[in-house]
Amino acid sequence: MAMLVNTLVHLQRRHIVSIQHNVALRPLSTAASVEVSQVHISQHTKDTKFSRLHNLRTQLSQENDDSITTLDEFAQQPPSQRKKAPPRSSKILPKPKWLKAAPATSPKYRELRSTVRQLGLATVCEEARCPNIGDCWGGGTEKGSELTEEERELGMGTATATIMIMGDTCTRGCRFCSVKTSRAPPPLDVDEPDKVAEAVTKWGLDYVVLTSVDRDDLEDQGAGHFRKVVQRLKELNGGEIGAGNDDTNEKKLIVEALTPDFRGEKELITLVATSGLDVYAHNIETVERLTPKVRDRRAGYTQSLDVLSHVKSVANNTMLTKTSIMLGLGETDNEIRTALKDLRSVDVDVVTFGQYLQPTKKHLPVKEYITPEKFEEWRICAEEEFGFKYCASGPLVRSSYKAGEFFLKNMVRERKEKAQGERDAA
């Protein structure tokens, strides 16, 4: 009520000013209905029918207090108490304390970044705003831990970088990803296979992860280019794993490829799967129910399973297949278990779980922050109940997060289990 009174007083003052400027206005009535005449609005006003004065007149005419007959009586009424509006629920959940990543300050991080800039390469670590860039690029061990002699021999503790080939612009628009998109990205760099091989050689890595944007604009969707990059890496960095002279101390480069779905076209999937890879990764990203909401319309849950299944049918027996699932998008435990069952049905070897983090306000909001304890439960479930060869699971785990260390740790584990089995048999 007090607000209405103030507005009416303001309108009366405007009425006086309008008279001084020769604008004819009809005086306000003091009748119970408090009828107010039409006001001649200036030319810039688009619609006088629903003006503030009209809305006030309508509201006041609906008052049920018949004891008020004049504007003065109305103004003398005690102001009504305004009720405080209930607080609105925020769509952006506050981040819990366990979501803290290492700062990007190490010399190794600066070295990798410098090489990336010099050669004009793109990394998914930067393009997708990964929180682990300082940890992965910096290498090293976890705080308070030391590498064993066997782990040092395998090259653990080194930096891991994920190089994004075929440009930094994707033809798809998944609602969780911050990589920029376009229907017509720039053409491919024909020198990219050499640039990538040069960068990896400079870094001295023994494990590299390649990923790419989707290139639906190309006839082969970039599969041929992907194959060339892998083969060039192998040529310049020790060749196939296990090839060559056993007496040499030369490290053999392990190459993992995180690939698009190539729209499910098997001949294109085969080109990449038979290029000399050691790990073929393709992410299903989320559970089946949420796939249409989370991923681009051209992607599909069943289509991704078919990709992983086809890789197993054409690749060599030593190649591992891998996928990743984001948690915190509204999935249920039963849906996650169903996804794990579906993945094992196509013989996927490795699965990773990580917390979905909203890149910008334009992307899907986080529905829930999963605790580290729950992530550990999923790791145990994947490995012990469903039989995955390895599962990396944690709030800051990404598909390629310290992928080299995870892969090599698994090799250490398998070697120890094999040795123990031989001792038991003896």
Side-chain angles (χ1 to χ4, degrees):
M1 297 292 285
M3 184 181 294
L4 296 176
V5 171
N6 292 335
T7 305
L8 285 172
V9 172
H10 173 69
L11 292 173
Q12 284 182 322
R13 289 175 180 172
R14 286 183 55 193
H15 174 71
I16 297 172
V17 174
S18 300
I19 294 175
Q20 293 175 351
H21 288 81
N22 297 321
V23 179
L25 293 175
R26 182 178 176 182
L28 292 171
S29 171
T30 58
S33 61
V34 197
E35 295 180 355
V36 183
S37 63
Q38 292 287 343
V39 180
H40 295 284
I41 308 297
S42 57
Q43 293 182 353
H44 71 273
T45 304
K46 294 182 178 180
D47 191 355
T48 60
K49 182 177 180 180
F50 298 102
S51 65
R52 291 177 62 198
L53 188 57
H54 175 79
N55 292 337
L56 283 170
R57 181 187 61 193
T58 303
Q59 185 173 352
L60 290 173
S61 66
Q62 295 174 351
E63 293 288 342
N64 296 324
D65 192 352
D66 296 334
S67 64
I68 301 176
T69 59
T70 66
L71 186 60
D72 289 338
E73 292 177 354
F74 173 80
Q76 292 173 3
Q77 294 296 308
S80 58
Q81 296 294 326
R82 295 183 60 188
K83 294 183 179 179
K84 187 176 181 180
R88 292 182 298 176
S89 60
S90 175
K91 291 184 179 180
I92 302 179
L93 299 176
K95 290 184 180 179
K97 60 183 179 181
W98 58 78
L99 283 175
K100 289 185 179 180
T105 57
S106 71
K108 191 66 177 180
Y109 164 79
R110 290 192 289 269
E111 177 190 345
L112 264 65
R113 185 180 62 177
S114 176
T115 306
V116 166
R117 299 289 186 274
Q118 290 173 6
L119 297 177
L121 300 175
T123 67
V124 74
C125 317
E126 295 177 300
E127 299 299 328
R129 305 182 184 185
C130 181
N132 303 311
I133 187 169
D135 199 7
C136 288
W137 287 24
T141 61
E142 296 178 358
K143 186 176 181 181
S145 64
E146 295 292 337
L147 294 176
T148 65
E149 182 179 348
E150 189 174 24
E151 288 170 336
R152 289 193 189 96
E153 181 184 15
L154 286 169
M156 294 174 62
T158 58
T160 301
T162 302
I163 299 175
M164 188 163 69
I165 62 175
M166 299 198 288
D168 62 357
T169 306
C170 188
T171 54
R172 299 191 184 181
C174 295
R175 295 162 186 85
F176 66 90
C177 182
S178 64
V179 174
K180 57 186 176 183
T181 62
S182 172
R183 293 181 180 177
L188 297 179
D189 180 1
V190 294
D191 296 324
E192 189 170 49
D194 289 327
K195 290 180 179 179
V196 171
E198 180 184 349
V200 173
T201 302
K202 281 186 177 181
W203 292 336
L205 304 180
D206 47 21
Y207 195 109
V208 64
V209 183
L210 299 176
T211 188
S212 77
V213 292
D214 285 88
R215 292 300 300 259
D216 299 282
D217 58 311
L218 303 176
E219 185 176 355
D220 70 346
Q221 300 173 58
H225 187 85
F226 213 131
R227 181 183 177 90
K228 290 178 182 178
V229 174
V230 175
Q231 291 179 333
R232 187 59 176 155
L233 276 170
K234 289 289 188 176
E235 289 171 5
L236 294 187
N237 293 275
E240 294 288 339
I241 302 300
N245 189 343
D246 292 337
D247 296 331
T248 180
N249 291 324
E250 182 183 19
K251 291 181 179 179
K252 303 296 189 262
L253 180 68
I254 299 172
V255 180
E256 174 183 326
L258 175 58
T259 73
D261 59 17
F262 299 112
R263 293 202 294 262
E265 298 181 23
K266 294 183 178 180
E267 64 275 13
L268 302 182
I269 300 168
T270 301
L271 276 177
V272 180
T274 58
S275 63
L277 288 173
D278 302 289
V279 182
Y280 192 109
H282 173 68
N283 293 341
I284 63 171
E285 308 294 3
T286 188
V287 298
E288 184 173 13
R289 174 179 60 87
L290 295 177
T291 295
K293 180 181 179 182
V294 173
R295 302 175 68 186
D296 184 273
R297 59 179 176 78
R298 287 162 286 189
Y301 181 83
T302 302
Q303 181 168 272
S304 289
L305 290 175
D306 290 341
V307 170
L308 293 164
S309 176
H310 180 68
V311 170
K312 279 290 188 178
S313 68
V314 298
N316 60 62
N317 294 331
T318 61
M319 181 186 288
L320 297 177
T321 51
K322 175 181 175 182
T323 195
S324 183
I325 301 175
M326 298 178 291
L327 302 184
L329 286 163
E331 65 287 332
T332 66
D333 285 2
N334 285 338
E335 288 174 326
I336 297 172
R337 295 179 67 85
T338 298
L340 292 175
K341 181 180 178 181
D342 292 340
L343 291 169
R344 287 300 296 140
S345 71
V346 294
D347 201 21
V348 172
D349 300 297
V350 178
V351 63
T352 69
F353 291 106
Q355 172 69 55
Y356 167 66
L357 297 176
Q358 184 180 10
T360 72
K361 292 182 179 179
K362 296 180 180 180
H363 292 82
L364 289 173
V366 177
K367 295 292 186 182
E368 180 186 5
Y369 285 112
I370 312 300
T371 65
E373 293 76 17
K374 186 65 175 179
F375 275 109
E376 177 62 14
E377 289 179 14
W378 284 122
R379 184 194 67 78
I380 296 172
C381 176
E383 290 184 350
E384 298 184 3
E385 181 177 345
F386 287 92
F388 286 90
K389 291 184 178 180
Y390 185 72
C391 173
S393 182
L396 290 177
V397 168
R398 294 295 177 266
S399 177
S400 54
Y401 172 56
K402 285 195 172 181
E405 293 198 13
F406 286 141
F407 181 85
L408 294 170
K409 283 179 181 176
N410 191 48
M411 291 175 61
V412 171
R413 180 188 301 171
E414 289 183 348
R415 180 183 294 184
K416 289 181 178 180
E417 290 176 351
K418 182 178 180 181
Q420 183 63 43
E422 291 174 351
R423 287 194 295 268
D424 294 341

